[in-house]
Amino acid sequence: MAARAKAPRVGPYLCGIDAAFDVLSGKWKALILWELHAHGVRRFAELRRGVPGVSEKMLTQHLREMEEDALVHREVYAEVPPRVEYSLTEHGHTLNEALGALGAWGEERIRREGCEVVGGAEAVAR
Amino acid sequence: MAARAKAPRVGPYLCGIDAAFDVLSGKWKALILWELHAHGVRRFAELRRGVPGVSEKMLTQHLREMEEDALVHREVYAEVPPRVEYSLTEHGHTLNEALGALGAWGEERIRREGCEVVGGAEAVAR
DNA sequence: TGCGGTACTTACCTTTTGGTGCGTGAGGGG
DNA sequence: CCCCTCACGCACCAAAAGGTAAGTACCGCA
């Protein structure tokens, strides 16, 4: 996992979607991105509270990977109670914007599901 | 896995991105979507050839899930050599369009990586 | 008559992913 | 005086995802 940057799946990538998905593969990455986008700058414990259900291990791991991928910026203050601040880089911001359309699609899907009670894929597809 | 439609992770969903990602979680789903989008209608074996590296099991599994999620339409012809044709539903098409921006972002990322040789996250983030 | 193709299903195995819980070391509050 | 907070690191474990290989029933082709 640490060597993910050097382990392409077959060729480097099959297409752009593939590359984008690689960067945010992980249960919580999109949520972290969103949280960071919404608040600008967040500390570790704030993110932990802002992303409900995430474990400390996963949060660190995902943050490190996103840092490697140049999506988030990590600022460490060598203070007595350790303080670390996370924020989005420019690439992080543009990724978030690219995610906008997908988010809208997802919300429409939630609406559909909410109305049609799920289970009737046939009915949804009409 | 078959009961995925009834197993929300914590609440129904945390946000739209979450819902969209749920629908295309799986190593090959995006590629299948793309392949179907590019060719309109494809048979099982055509998809198998069009998505390099996918196993038959995974292809069936993903196609079934995408059918459940109303992304693809499955047309079975009760003929002697079995024939099954897959195509995108309207929801599949709109999802693909929503994926467009993400794909563009990914391709830009590939370009960046190609130029900057990776490893210098600091240099990339600048 | 044996092989390849069509569209799967099933069983079994490996890899990957995520979760739990403990340790760290200094400061601040009850 | 004890425990809690911050921001992790490490070891171990469970679950899920994915891969491999085989079998199915039928056909056309050589």
Side-chain angles (χ1 to χ4, degrees), chain A residues 42-120:
Chain A
R42 296 252 97 177
R43 299 181 55 176
F44 186 84
E46 286 174 333
L47 282 171
R48 199 157 98 78
R49 284 187 287 264
V51 180
V54 72
S55 65
E56 296 194 347
K57 177 193 152 194
M58 274 298 107
L59 188 53
T60 338
Q61 203 176 104
H62 283 171
L63 282 169
R64 289 294 145 85
E65 288 174 19
M66 292 168 84
E67 196 194 350
E68 263 184 52
D69 291 330
L71 297 181
V72 310
H73 174 69
R74 184 161 171 264
E75 190 85 38
V76 185
Y77 299 86
E79 296 178 357
V80 195
R83 186 158 66 102
V84 182
E85 286 184 349
Y86 295 92
S87 55
L88 291 184
T89 64
E90 201 186 313
H91 298 323
H93 280 294
T94 56
L95 177 55
N96 225 309
E97 282 161 28
L99 244 28
L102 198 60
W105 187 92
E107 291 192 19
E108 208 183 301
R109 182 179 133 82
I110 291 173
R111 262 198 301 279
R112 280 202 309 271
E113 272 196 0
C115 295
E116 310 239 11
V117 194
V118 188

Side-chain angles (χ1 to χ4, degrees), chain B residues 43 45 56 60 64 74 82 86:
Chain B
R43 299 181 54 175
E56 296 194 347
T60 351
R64 288 295 146 85
R74 183 159 171 266
Y86 294 92

Side-chain angles (χ1 to χ4, degrees), chain B residues 82-119:
Chain B
R83 186 157 66 100
V84 182
E85 286 183 349
Y86 294 92
S87 56
L88 291 185
T89 63
E90 200 185 312
H91 297 323
H93 279 294
T94 57
L95 176 56
N96 224 308
E97 282 160 27
L99 244 28
L102 198 60
W105 187 93
E107 291 193 17
E108 209 184 301
R109 182 179 133 83
I110 291 173
R111 262 197 300 281
R112 282 203 308 271
E113 270 196 2
C115 295
E116 310 238 11
V117 194
V118 188

Side-chain angles (χ1 to χ4, degrees), chain A residues 12-27:
Chain A
Y13 281 123
L14 285 128
C15 67
I17 306 281
D18 208 12
F21 267 67
D22 185 33
V23 141
L24 30 86
S25 69
K27 202 173 176 181

